[in-house]
Amino acid sequence: MKLITLDIKDLYVNLPTQGVLHAAKFWLQRSLNNEDMNKQILILLNTVMEQNYFQYNNQFYKPHKGIAMGSSISGTIAEIYLQYIENDYIRHWLDSNEIRFYKRYVDNIFIVYNQNKIQEDQILLKINSIDNNLQFKMTTEKNNNINFLDLTINRERKNISISIYRKANGHNYPLPI
């Protein structure tokens, strides 16, 4: 077993409008809502996705894709899309045991994979080919250690241990707890 982490580069501003709408339609069709309600939800979601203006240096901009960072609905919209991708593309890796463990927190992913079935470069290549709008940056373990969020994960012979990881703060004193 080997460990890697993936980070989605600029997630919110790179979410594809049509991809999000397709994912939302998929999830809505699995719900108990009636068809009219589902259509209304998709119209409202499209409106939110299209109204992604922002201001910088007294100028207004409207990107051709993505959602506004800081909007109260941005996290939910990203989740709709990422859970759809996980359902469609990641699940088969778990079912085949190529990937033994997969956890995502927002745009950070931790993976334990079986190097006898798949290699890290194959994982990165496949995951980067899912959607041209989303690009993933991979970090590999070094000396059986990898940092994920606020943890250092140590792969030992028969188990995994964790400890607190603190990013360097540019000072010579420890961060306050």
Side-chain angles (χ1 to χ4, degrees):
M1 296 301 138
K2 291 288 230 172
L3 314 175
I4 60 170
T5 62
L6 298 169
D7 181 49
I8 305 172
K9 184 177 187 253
D10 301 326
L11 171 62
Y12 292 146
V13 297
N14 284 308
L15 286 171
T17 301
Q18 291 308 310
V20 168
L21 292 172
H22 178 77
K25 184 176 181 180
F26 171 81
W27 294 120
L28 286 168
Q29 288 172 339
R30 299 175 121 206
S31 72
L32 299 177
N33 298 334
N34 66 44
E35 192 61 32
D36 287 337
M37 182 178 287
N38 288 352
K39 286 179 185 176
Q40 290 175 354
I41 291 170
L42 289 172
I43 289 168
L44 290 170
L45 180 58
N46 186 56
T47 301
V48 168
M49 295 286 297
E50 292 296 321
Q51 302 299 318
N52 63 342
Y53 298 95
F54 69 93
Q55 182 180 3
Y56 177 73
N57 281 342
N58 295 322
Q59 290 277 72
F60 286 93
Y61 298 90
K62 184 185 183 313
H64 64 278
K65 63 181 177 185
I67 52 178
M69 291 176 46
S71 168
S72 58
I73 196 167
S74 296
T76 302
I77 291 173
E79 273 302 307
I80 289 168
Y81 190 59
L82 292 176
Q83 286 185 23
Y84 175 77
I85 286 175
E86 290 167 344
N87 183 70
D88 257 21
Y89 297 97
I90 307 301
R91 177 178 284 169
H92 79 277
W93 281 340
L94 290 163
D95 292 343
S96 69
N97 277 328
E98 290 174 310
I99 291 179
R100 300 293 303 257
F101 183 81
Y102 174 97
K103 272 301 175 206
R104 179 179 53 81
Y105 180 76
V106 188
D107 61 350
N108 298 288
I109 301 166
F110 174 71
I111 293 175
V112 178
Y113 69 95
N114 183 341
Q115 78 271 18
N116 294 323
K117 292 188 174 193
I118 194 166
Q119 297 300 310
E120 60 200 27
D121 57 333
Q122 293 172 297
I123 295 171
L124 184 63
L125 185 66
K126 284 182 181 181
I127 204 159
N128 272 328
S129 70
I130 292 171
D131 183 328
N132 292 334
N133 296 294
L134 301 182
Q135 290 303 300
F136 296 77
K137 179 186 170 223
M138 179 174 61
T139 303
T140 58
E141 66 177 88
K142 290 186 175 68
N143 300 321
N144 298 338
N145 287 305
I146 197 163
N147 298 320
F148 179 68
L149 302 175
D150 293 338
L151 301 174
T152 295
I153 302 167
N154 179 268
R155 182 176 53 83
E156 298 169 357
R157 186 172 162 96
K158 294 203 178 207
N159 61 10
I160 289 178
S161 64
I162 58 173
S163 58
I164 302 297
Y165 167 70
R166 295 185 191 265
K167 291 181 182 178
N169 62 6
H171 302 285
N172 292 329
Y173 51 88
L175 291 169
I177 295 179

